[in-house]
Amino acid sequence: DAGVIQSPRHEVTEMGQEVTLRCKPISGHDYLFWYRQTMMRGLELLIYFNNNVPIDDSGMPEDRFSAKMPNASFSTLKIQPSEPRDSAVYFCASRDTGQGSSGYTFGSGTRLTVV
Amino acid sequence: DAKTTQPPSMDCAEGRAANLPCNHSTISGNEYVYWYRQIHSQGPQYIIHGLKNNETNEMASLIITEDRKSSTLILPHATLRDTAVYYCIVRVARGARQLTFGSGTQLTVLP
């Protein structure tokens, strides 16, 4: 199992540009989570999906952020337009319902820098 | 999820046991204690969890006090690769959705 796969690993973009982060969850996992990590705020949940349906997006900072999960094997997090304060490491995680709270598997993250 | 309190940082000599404490005085009867860790530049990784009995796996041991208000994660022979932020999370085993992380403990294993 290749684990949760995120791309790209690093992204540098200019303020105002659109950024798309990608995630491939572990096959068979029915939950997918997007987290953001900064020094100031730590790890914070942005949104999560269950069976491809967004369940809770209350952590999405503002309308510039959007996330989709068109199928069970792919999700995107889009920022448009990007701002310097969006610079952070973005993690995707997936989980199988049957595994409970020990079953979260995280990807290696995407380090986003907005200049 | 019950609130947890962890020291912000700890040091440990390589080869010695690392004992990471966690206080969770408001834990409910159906809540478990979970430990995750995050090595620099990687995503968090599950280590171990327990309800009330002590637990051991290939990575670590978990000691939970009898009143369940605190616990200790033990890495028996710490290596440099164990340098990471360790998160103690208290929550129900099933039914809850997202995992919520606090500040954790930065463990530095010294050569």
Side-chain angles (χ1 to χ4, degrees):
Chain A
D1 190 344
V4 175
I5 299 173
Q6 291 187 246
S7 64
R9 285 300 309 274
H10 302 274
E11 177 79 41
V12 180
T13 190
E14 291 186 347
M15 183 173 62
Q17 296 298 306
E18 177 180 296
V19 176
T20 299
L21 311 181
R22 298 171 176 79
C23 175
K24 177 180 170 57
I26 290 176
S27 177
H29 281 192
D30 53 347
Y31 280 90
L32 184 139
F33 305 83
W34 282 100
Y35 285 84
R36 178 172 68 176
Q37 186 170 36
T38 61
M39 288 293 291
M40 291 296 295
R41 301 173 67 88
L43 267 166
E44 50 183 351
L45 178 73
L46 299 177
I47 185 172
Y48 75 91
F49 296 81
N50 179 217
N51 292 321
N52 314 337
V53 177
I55 303 299
D56 184 352
D57 64 354
S58 59
M60 297 284 263
E62 48 197 274
D63 292 345
R64 297 184 298 106
F65 286 68
S66 63
K68 295 182 179 179
M69 192 164 185
N71 56 62
S73 59
F74 184 64
S75 177
T76 60
L77 178 68
K78 184 179 294 185
I79 308 173
Q80 165 64 22
S82 58
E83 297 181 3
R85 60 193 167 120
D86 301 331
S87 296
V89 181
Y90 291 81
F91 289 101
C92 175
S94 69
R95 194 199 92 189
D96 177 78
T97 299
Q99 294 176 292
S101 297
S102 61
Y104 292 82
T105 302
F106 285 77
S108 297
T110 294
R111 181 173 296 277
L112 173 65
T113 302
V114 183
V115 298
Chain B
D1 300 350
K3 178 178 170 57
T4 61
T5 303
Q6 299 179 252
S9 64
M10 294 182 64
D11 292 340
C12 175
E14 187 177 19
R16 304 295 294 269
N19 299 286
L20 293 92
C22 180
N23 287 322
H24 32 80
S25 59
T26 61
I27 190 171
S28 299
N30 64 342
E31 289 182 315
Y32 288 67
V33 180
Y34 291 84
W35 285 84
Y36 277 73
R37 75 178 181 183
Q38 184 176 21
I39 296 171
H40 184 60
S41 298
Q42 297 182 24
Q45 172 195 25
Y46 166 77
I47 302 173
I48 197 169
H49 74 282
L51 182 63
K52 53 183 178 181
N53 297 321
N54 298 338
E55 302 288 343
T56 296
N57 63 19
E58 65 279 3
M59 292 183 67
S61 294
L62 175 61
I63 308 297
I64 302 174
T65 57
E66 191 169 344
D67 63 6
R68 303 209 321 125
K69 294 184 177 181
S70 65
S71 59
T72 301
L73 178 73
I74 300 172
L75 308 178
H77 306 286
T79 71
L80 299 179
R81 288 174 295 180
D82 292 321
T83 293
V85 177
Y86 288 77
Y87 298 98
C88 171
I89 300 169
V90 172
R91 70 202 305 258
V92 296
R94 300 182 189 279
R97 304 316 203 295
Q98 66 269 37
L99 207 55
T100 301
F101 294 86
S103 304
T105 296
Q106 170 66 58
L107 173 69
T108 302
V109 181
L110 304 171

